[in-house]
Amino acid sequence: MHYDNEHQQEVISEIIRWMNQSAIRFLDITLTARRAGFSRWHMQRIFKQHTGITLGRYIRILRLSNAAIALINTASPVIEIALEYGYESQQTFTRAMKYHTGFNPGAIKRLPAADKDKLVQEMKKLIVLAVH
């Protein structure tokens, strides 16, 4: 089935909205493609074509940015947040978070309030800018 470029852009915009509003912590390419009604291959291809970023990379940005916000806005232990956002170990989560934010999760929790607010804004901005 052939879809025109405008239809594809509408689907991608809707998928991005759904991903950003979804309470699903374990978003992946298969689930996202199923939601859009496309095969994994086609979903990945048109996502990159319309956003300039791979779907897998966007999902990682979304998961890590939301996990960073959860570190700031909740009193939950780091391991609990790591597991909630799909990481199998605290070590893997710590490495990914350090790469994503420049801070390890414990350091994020200990940031002064003003720096936490700044990091939350940076994470929200990153989620939006990643696909624009």
Side-chain angles (χ1 to χ4, degrees), residues 12-39:
I12 295 301
S13 295
E14 177 56 34
I15 284 295
I16 290 169
R17 268 191 300 283
W18 172 75
M19 289 169 62
N20 284 310
Q21 295 171 354
S22 180
I24 301 169
R25 301 282 193 238
F26 297 101
L27 281 174
D28 64 14
I29 293 169
T30 301
L31 181 63
T32 305
R34 190 175 304 132
R35 172 75 181 196
F38 294 135
S39 69

PDB file of all heavy atoms in Angstrom, residues 12-39:
ATOM      1  N   ILE A  12       3.344  10.222  11.509  1.00  0.00           N
ATOM      2  CA  ILE A  12       4.529  10.426  12.349  1.00  0.00           C
ATOM      3  C   ILE A  12       4.223  11.438  13.450  1.00  0.00           C
ATOM      4  O   ILE A  12       4.573  11.219  14.617  1.00  0.00           O
ATOM      5  CB  ILE A  12       5.755  10.873  11.511  1.00  0.00           C
ATOM      6  CG1 ILE A  12       6.175   9.761  10.548  1.00  0.00           C
ATOM      7  CG2 ILE A  12       6.911  11.300  12.409  1.00  0.00           C
ATOM      8  CD1 ILE A  12       6.548   8.446  11.192  1.00  0.00           C
ATOM      9  N   SER A  13       3.542  12.521  13.114  1.00  0.00           N
ATOM     10  CA  SER A  13       3.192  13.525  14.129  1.00  0.00           C
ATOM     11  C   SER A  13       2.297  12.917  15.198  1.00  0.00           C
ATOM     12  O   SER A  13       2.492  13.169  16.395  1.00  0.00           O
ATOM     13  CB  SER A  13       2.484  14.718  13.475  1.00  0.00           C
ATOM     14  OG  SER A  13       3.369  15.388  12.613  1.00  0.00           O
ATOM     15  N   GLU A  14       1.337  12.104  14.789  1.00  0.00           N
ATOM     16  CA  GLU A  14       0.442  11.457  15.741  1.00  0.00           C
ATOM     17  C   GLU A  14       1.202  10.458  16.613  1.00  0.00           C
ATOM     18  O   GLU A  14       0.981  10.382  17.827  1.00  0.00           O
ATOM     19  CB  GLU A  14      -0.716  10.765  15.014  1.00  0.00           C
ATOM     20  CG  GLU A  14      -1.649  10.011  15.928  1.00  0.00           C
ATOM     21  CD  GLU A  14      -2.244  10.859  17.057  1.00  0.00           C
ATOM     22  OE1 GLU A  14      -2.499  12.059  16.855  1.00  0.00           O
ATOM     23  OE2 GLU A  14      -2.443  10.313  18.161  1.00  0.00           O
ATOM     24  N   ILE A  15       2.104   9.711  16.028  1.00  0.00           N
ATOM     25  CA  ILE A  15       2.901   8.738  16.785  1.00  0.00           C
ATOM     26  C   ILE A  15       3.777   9.457  17.812  1.00  0.00           C
ATOM     27  O   ILE A  15       3.898   9.011  18.954  1.00  0.00           O
ATOM     28  CB  ILE A  15       3.752   7.860  15.837  1.00  0.00           C
ATOM     29  CG1 ILE A  15       2.848   6.830  15.164  1.00  0.00           C
ATOM     30  CG2 ILE A  15       4.908   7.190  16.540  1.00  0.00           C
ATOM     31  CD1 ILE A  15       2.221   5.817  16.103  1.00  0.00           C
ATOM     32  N   ILE A  16       4.380  10.552  17.433  1.00  0.00           N
ATOM     33  CA  ILE A  16       5.213  11.326  18.375  1.00  0.00           C
ATOM     34  C   ILE A  16       4.359  11.835  19.532  1.00  0.00           C
ATOM     35  O   ILE A  16       4.759  11.735  20.689  1.00  0.00           O
ATOM     36  CB  ILE A  16       5.952  12.470  17.647  1.00  0.00           C
ATOM     37  CG1 ILE A  16       7.030  11.886  16.732  1.00  0.00           C
ATOM     38  CG2 ILE A  16       6.553  13.454  18.650  1.00  0.00           C
ATOM     39  CD1 ILE A  16       7.649  12.887  15.775  1.00  0.00           C
ATOM     40  N   ARG A  17       3.175  12.354  19.227  1.00  0.00           N
ATOM     41  CA  ARG A  17       2.264  12.802  20.297  1.00  0.00           C
ATOM     42  C   ARG A  17       1.922  11.631  21.221  1.00  0.00           C
ATOM     43  O   ARG A  17       1.964  11.760  22.440  1.00  0.00           O
ATOM     44  CB  ARG A  17       0.970  13.380  19.703  1.00  0.00           C
ATOM     45  CG  ARG A  17       1.006  14.858  19.478  1.00  0.00           C
ATOM     46  CD  ARG A  17      -0.371  15.432  19.157  1.00  0.00           C
ATOM     47  NE  ARG A  17      -0.981  14.881  17.956  1.00  0.00           N
ATOM     48  CZ  ARG A  17      -0.647  15.222  16.712  1.00  0.00           C
ATOM     49  NH1 ARG A  17       0.288  16.126  16.506  1.00  0.00           N
ATOM     50  NH2 ARG A  17      -1.247  14.677  15.675  1.00  0.00           N
ATOM     51  N   TRP A  18       1.568  10.492  20.625  1.00  0.00           N
ATOM     52  CA  TRP A  18       1.216   9.304  21.411  1.00  0.00           C
ATOM     53  C   TRP A  18       2.393   8.860  22.290  1.00  0.00           C
ATOM     54  O   TRP A  18       2.210   8.587  23.471  1.00  0.00           O
ATOM     55  CB  TRP A  18       0.785   8.173  20.472  1.00  0.00           C
ATOM     56  CG  TRP A  18       0.586   6.872  21.164  1.00  0.00           C
ATOM     57  CD1 TRP A  18      -0.461   6.518  21.969  1.00  0.00           C
ATOM     58  CD2 TRP A  18       1.469   5.749  21.141  1.00  0.00           C
ATOM     59  NE1 TRP A  18      -0.286   5.239  22.439  1.00  0.00           N
ATOM     60  CE2 TRP A  18       0.896   4.742  21.940  1.00  0.00           C
ATOM     61  CE3 TRP A  18       2.688   5.487  20.505  1.00  0.00           C
ATOM     62  CZ2 TRP A  18       1.501   3.510  22.126  1.00  0.00           C
ATOM     63  CZ3 TRP A  18       3.280   4.261  20.690  1.00  0.00           C
ATOM     64  CH2 TRP A  18       2.686   3.288  21.497  1.00  0.00           C
ATOM     65  N   MET A  19       3.588   8.831  21.727  1.00  0.00           N
ATOM     66  CA  MET A  19       4.766   8.409  22.488  1.00  0.00           C
ATOM     67  C   MET A  19       5.018   9.360  23.660  1.00  0.00           C
ATOM     68  O   MET A  19       5.346   8.921  24.758  1.00  0.00           O
ATOM     69  CB  MET A  19       5.999   8.349  21.581  1.00  0.00           C
ATOM     70  CG  MET A  19       5.943   7.205  20.591  1.00  0.00           C
ATOM     71  SD  MET A  19       7.212   7.286  19.308  1.00  0.00           S
ATOM     72  CE  MET A  19       8.698   7.186  20.262  1.00  0.00           C
ATOM     73  N   ASN A  20       4.861  10.650  23.425  1.00  0.00           N
ATOM     74  CA  ASN A  20       5.107  11.641  24.479  1.00  0.00           C
ATOM     75  C   ASN A  20       4.053  11.615  25.577  1.00  0.00           C
ATOM     76  O   ASN A  20       4.332  11.958  26.716  1.00  0.00           O
ATOM     77  CB  ASN A  20       5.210  13.044  23.886  1.00  0.00           C
ATOM     78  CG  ASN A  20       6.535  13.276  23.210  1.00  0.00           C
ATOM     79  OD1 ASN A  20       7.583  13.018  23.783  1.00  0.00           O
ATOM     80  ND2 ASN A  20       6.501  13.724  21.977  1.00  0.00           N
ATOM     81  N   GLN A  21       2.841  11.212  25.250  1.00  0.00           N
ATOM     82  CA  GLN A  21       1.757  11.190  26.226  1.00  0.00           C
ATOM     83  C   GLN A  21       1.538   9.816  26.838  1.00  0.00           C
ATOM     84  O   GLN A  21       0.810   9.680  27.804  1.00  0.00           O
ATOM     85  CB  GLN A  21       0.457  11.666  25.570  1.00  0.00           C
ATOM     86  CG  GLN A  21       0.512  13.102  25.141  1.00  0.00           C
ATOM     87  CD  GLN A  21      -0.687  13.511  24.298  1.00  0.00           C
ATOM     88  OE1 GLN A  21      -1.525  12.697  23.937  1.00  0.00           O
ATOM     89  NE2 GLN A  21      -0.761  14.792  23.973  1.00  0.00           N
ATOM     90  N   SER A  22       2.187   8.823  26.275  1.00  0.00           N
ATOM     91  CA  SER A  22       1.956   7.443  26.695  1.00  0.00           C
ATOM     92  C   SER A  22       2.497   7.177  28.094  1.00  0.00           C
ATOM     93  O   SER A  22       3.567   7.642  28.478  1.00  0.00           O
ATOM     94  CB  SER A  22       2.633   6.487  25.709  1.00  0.00           C
ATOM     95  OG  SER A  22       2.427   5.163  26.104  1.00  0.00           O
ATOM     96  N   ALA A  23       1.732   6.412  28.833  1.00  0.00           N
ATOM     97  CA  ALA A  23       2.184   5.980  30.155  1.00  0.00           C
ATOM     98  C   ALA A  23       3.003   4.698  30.035  1.00  0.00           C
ATOM     99  O   ALA A  23       3.496   4.183  31.021  1.00  0.00           O
ATOM    100  CB  ALA A  23       0.983   5.740  31.060  1.00  0.00           C
ATOM    101  N   ILE A  24       3.168   4.205  28.803  1.00  0.00           N
ATOM    102  CA  ILE A  24       3.929   2.977  28.571  1.00  0.00           C
ATOM    103  C   ILE A  24       5.411   3.278  28.730  1.00  0.00           C
ATOM    104  O   ILE A  24       5.976   4.095  28.007  1.00  0.00           O
ATOM    105  CB  ILE A  24       3.646   2.409  27.165  1.00  0.00           C
ATOM    106  CG1 ILE A  24       2.158   2.110  26.996  1.00  0.00           C
ATOM    107  CG2 ILE A  24       4.486   1.153  26.921  1.00  0.00           C
ATOM    108  CD1 ILE A  24       1.750   1.808  25.570  1.00  0.00           C
ATOM    109  N   ARG A  25       6.040   2.658  29.687  1.00  0.00           N
ATOM    110  CA  ARG A  25       7.454   2.899  29.957  1.00  0.00           C
ATOM    111  C   ARG A  25       8.367   2.105  29.017  1.00  0.00           C
ATOM    112  O   ARG A  25       9.491   2.454  28.800  1.00  0.00           O
ATOM    113  CB  ARG A  25       7.795   2.500  31.398  1.00  0.00           C
ATOM    114  CG  ARG A  25       6.996   3.243  32.427  1.00  0.00           C
ATOM    115  CD  ARG A  25       7.544   4.635  32.616  1.00  0.00           C
ATOM    116  NE  ARG A  25       6.967   5.219  33.805  1.00  0.00           N
ATOM    117  CZ  ARG A  25       6.278   6.335  33.802  1.00  0.00           C
ATOM    118  NH1 ARG A  25       6.063   6.982  32.703  1.00  0.00           N
ATOM    119  NH2 ARG A  25       5.802   6.818  34.921  1.00  0.00           N
ATOM    120  N   PHE A  26       7.826   1.005  28.485  1.00  0.00           N
ATOM    121  CA  PHE A  26       8.645   0.122  27.664  1.00  0.00           C
ATOM    122  C   PHE A  26       8.329   0.275  26.183  1.00  0.00           C
ATOM    123  O   PHE A  26       8.130  -0.706  25.483  1.00  0.00           O
ATOM    124  CB  PHE A  26       8.459  -1.339  28.098  1.00  0.00           C
ATOM    125  CG  PHE A  26       8.904  -1.593  29.499  1.00  0.00           C
ATOM    126  CD1 PHE A  26       7.976  -1.689  30.527  1.00  0.00           C
ATOM    127  CD2 PHE A  26      10.247  -1.721  29.811  1.00  0.00           C
ATOM    128  CE1 PHE A  26       8.387  -1.916  31.826  1.00  0.00           C
ATOM    129  CE2 PHE A  26      10.667  -1.941  31.108  1.00  0.00           C
ATOM    130  CZ  PHE A  26       9.739  -2.038  32.117  1.00  0.00           C
ATOM    131  N   LEU A  27       8.244   1.503  25.734  1.00  0.00           N
ATOM    132  CA  LEU A  27       8.025   1.732  24.316  1.00  0.00           C
ATOM    133  C   LEU A  27       9.158   1.095  23.529  1.00  0.00           C
ATOM    134  O   LEU A  27      10.310   1.152  23.928  1.00  0.00           O
ATOM    135  CB  LEU A  27       8.019   3.235  24.024  1.00  0.00           C
ATOM    136  CG  LEU A  27       6.752   3.996  24.342  1.00  0.00           C
ATOM    137  CD1 LEU A  27       6.972   5.481  24.140  1.00  0.00           C
ATOM    138  CD2 LEU A  27       5.588   3.524  23.507  1.00  0.00           C
ATOM    139  N   ASP A  28       8.810   0.481  22.433  1.00  0.00           N
ATOM    140  CA  ASP A  28       9.834  -0.042  21.542  1.00  0.00           C
ATOM    141  C   ASP A  28       9.359   0.128  20.104  1.00  0.00           C
ATOM    142  O   ASP A  28       8.238   0.575  19.845  1.00  0.00           O
ATOM    143  CB  ASP A  28      10.196  -1.487  21.870  1.00  0.00           C
ATOM    144  CG  ASP A  28       9.054  -2.474  21.677  1.00  0.00           C
ATOM    145  OD1 ASP A  28       8.029  -2.120  21.041  1.00  0.00           O
ATOM    146  OD2 ASP A  28       9.181  -3.607  22.142  1.00  0.00           O
ATOM    147  N   ILE A  29      10.217  -0.235  19.171  1.00  0.00           N
ATOM    148  CA  ILE A  29       9.919  -0.030  17.757  1.00  0.00           C
ATOM    149  C   ILE A  29       8.716  -0.860  17.334  1.00  0.00           C
ATOM    150  O   ILE A  29       7.840  -0.376  16.610  1.00  0.00           O
ATOM    151  CB  ILE A  29      11.168  -0.343  16.907  1.00  0.00           C
ATOM    152  CG1 ILE A  29      12.253   0.706  17.191  1.00  0.00           C
ATOM    153  CG2 ILE A  29      10.827  -0.370  15.423  1.00  0.00           C
ATOM    154  CD1 ILE A  29      13.619   0.365  16.632  1.00  0.00           C
ATOM    155  N   THR A  30       8.639  -2.117  17.789  1.00  0.00           N
ATOM    156  CA  THR A  30       7.535  -2.990  17.402  1.00  0.00           C
ATOM    157  C   THR A  30       6.198  -2.436  17.861  1.00  0.00           C
ATOM    158  O   THR A  30       5.240  -2.359  17.075  1.00  0.00           O
ATOM    159  CB  THR A  30       7.753  -4.417  17.960  1.00  0.00           C
ATOM    160  OG1 THR A  30       8.992  -4.917  17.445  1.00  0.00           O
ATOM    161  CG2 THR A  30       6.628  -5.347  17.576  1.00  0.00           C
ATOM    162  N   LEU A  31       6.106  -2.035  19.112  1.00  0.00           N
ATOM    163  CA  LEU A  31       4.873  -1.477  19.650  1.00  0.00           C
ATOM    164  C   LEU A  31       4.484  -0.196  18.916  1.00  0.00           C
ATOM    165  O   LEU A  31       3.312   0.021  18.581  1.00  0.00           O
ATOM    166  CB  LEU A  31       5.031  -1.212  21.147  1.00  0.00           C
ATOM    167  CG  LEU A  31       3.825  -0.654  21.884  1.00  0.00           C
ATOM    168  CD1 LEU A  31       2.665  -1.635  21.837  1.00  0.00           C
ATOM    169  CD2 LEU A  31       4.189  -0.361  23.326  1.00  0.00           C
ATOM    170  N   THR A  32       5.459   0.643  18.647  1.00  0.00           N
ATOM    171  CA  THR A  32       5.207   1.908  17.955  1.00  0.00           C
ATOM    172  C   THR A  32       4.733   1.659  16.527  1.00  0.00           C
ATOM    173  O   THR A  32       3.770   2.285  16.064  1.00  0.00           O
ATOM    174  CB  THR A  32       6.472   2.786  17.976  1.00  0.00           C
ATOM    175  OG1 THR A  32       6.889   2.950  19.336  1.00  0.00           O
ATOM    176  CG2 THR A  32       6.225   4.140  17.363  1.00  0.00           C
ATOM    177  N   ALA A  33       5.375   0.723  15.829  1.00  0.00           N
ATOM    178  CA  ALA A  33       4.980   0.394  14.452  1.00  0.00           C
ATOM    179  C   ALA A  33       3.563  -0.179  14.425  1.00  0.00           C
ATOM    180  O   ALA A  33       2.755   0.177  13.563  1.00  0.00           O
ATOM    181  CB  ALA A  33       5.971  -0.592  13.844  1.00  0.00           C
ATOM    182  N   ARG A  34       3.275  -1.039  15.393  1.00  0.00           N
ATOM    183  CA  ARG A  34       1.936  -1.634  15.474  1.00  0.00           C
ATOM    184  C   ARG A  34       0.895  -0.532  15.677  1.00  0.00           C
ATOM    185  O   ARG A  34      -0.163  -0.540  15.064  1.00  0.00           O
ATOM    186  CB  ARG A  34       1.895  -2.647  16.617  1.00  0.00           C
ATOM    187  CG  ARG A  34       0.633  -3.476  16.633  1.00  0.00           C
ATOM    188  CD  ARG A  34       0.650  -4.556  17.701  1.00  0.00           C
ATOM    189  NE  ARG A  34       1.787  -5.438  17.570  1.00  0.00           N
ATOM    190  CZ  ARG A  34       2.583  -5.790  18.584  1.00  0.00           C
ATOM    191  NH1 ARG A  34       2.355  -5.357  19.802  1.00  0.00           N
ATOM    192  NH2 ARG A  34       3.596  -6.596  18.391  1.00  0.00           N
ATOM    193  N   ARG A  35       1.198   0.412  16.543  1.00  0.00           N
ATOM    194  CA  ARG A  35       0.277   1.530  16.814  1.00  0.00           C
ATOM    195  C   ARG A  35       0.013   2.332  15.538  1.00  0.00           C
ATOM    196  O   ARG A  35      -1.100   2.784  15.289  1.00  0.00           O
ATOM    197  CB  ARG A  35       0.885   2.419  17.909  1.00  0.00           C
ATOM    198  CG  ARG A  35       0.163   3.708  18.165  1.00  0.00           C
ATOM    199  CD  ARG A  35      -1.116   3.505  18.922  1.00  0.00           C
ATOM    200  NE  ARG A  35      -1.783   4.778  19.114  1.00  0.00           N
ATOM    201  CZ  ARG A  35      -2.726   4.985  19.966  1.00  0.00           C
ATOM    202  NH1 ARG A  35      -3.143   4.010  20.736  1.00  0.00           N
ATOM    203  NH2 ARG A  35      -3.284   6.162  20.078  1.00  0.00           N
ATOM    204  N   ALA A  36       1.058   2.498  14.714  1.00  0.00           N
ATOM    205  CA  ALA A  36       0.935   3.279  13.477  1.00  0.00           C
ATOM    206  C   ALA A  36       0.310   2.473  12.342  1.00  0.00           C
ATOM    207  O   ALA A  36      -0.128   3.046  11.345  1.00  0.00           O
ATOM    208  CB  ALA A  36       2.311   3.778  13.046  1.00  0.00           C
ATOM    209  N   GLY A  37       0.288   1.146  12.492  1.00  0.00           N
ATOM    210  CA  GLY A  37      -0.250   0.304  11.433  1.00  0.00           C
ATOM    211  C   GLY A  37       0.752   0.020  10.333  1.00  0.00           C
ATOM    212  O   GLY A  37       0.372  -0.313   9.203  1.00  0.00           O
ATOM    213  N   PHE A  38       2.034   0.143  10.649  1.00  0.00           N
ATOM    214  CA  PHE A  38       3.098  -0.110   9.680  1.00  0.00           C
ATOM    215  C   PHE A  38       3.964  -1.280  10.146  1.00  0.00           C
ATOM    216  O   PHE A  38       3.980  -1.609  11.328  1.00  0.00           O
ATOM    217  CB  PHE A  38       4.010   1.108   9.526  1.00  0.00           C
ATOM    218  CG  PHE A  38       3.358   2.315   8.919  1.00  0.00           C
ATOM    219  CD1 PHE A  38       3.557   3.562   9.479  1.00  0.00           C
ATOM    220  CD2 PHE A  38       2.567   2.225   7.784  1.00  0.00           C
ATOM    221  CE1 PHE A  38       2.975   4.702   8.923  1.00  0.00           C
ATOM    222  CE2 PHE A  38       1.981   3.357   7.218  1.00  0.00           C
ATOM    223  CZ  PHE A  38       2.185   4.594   7.789  1.00  0.00           C
ATOM    224  N   SER A  39       4.718  -1.825   9.223  1.00  0.00           N
ATOM    225  CA  SER A  39       5.718  -2.820   9.605  1.00  0.00           C
ATOM    226  C   SER A  39       6.849  -2.093  10.330  1.00  0.00           C
ATOM    227  O   SER A  39       7.004  -0.866  10.205  1.00  0.00           O
ATOM    228  CB  SER A  39       6.277  -3.523   8.365  1.00  0.00           C
ATOM    229  OG  SER A  39       7.076  -2.626   7.605  1.00  0.00           O
TER     230      SER A  39
END
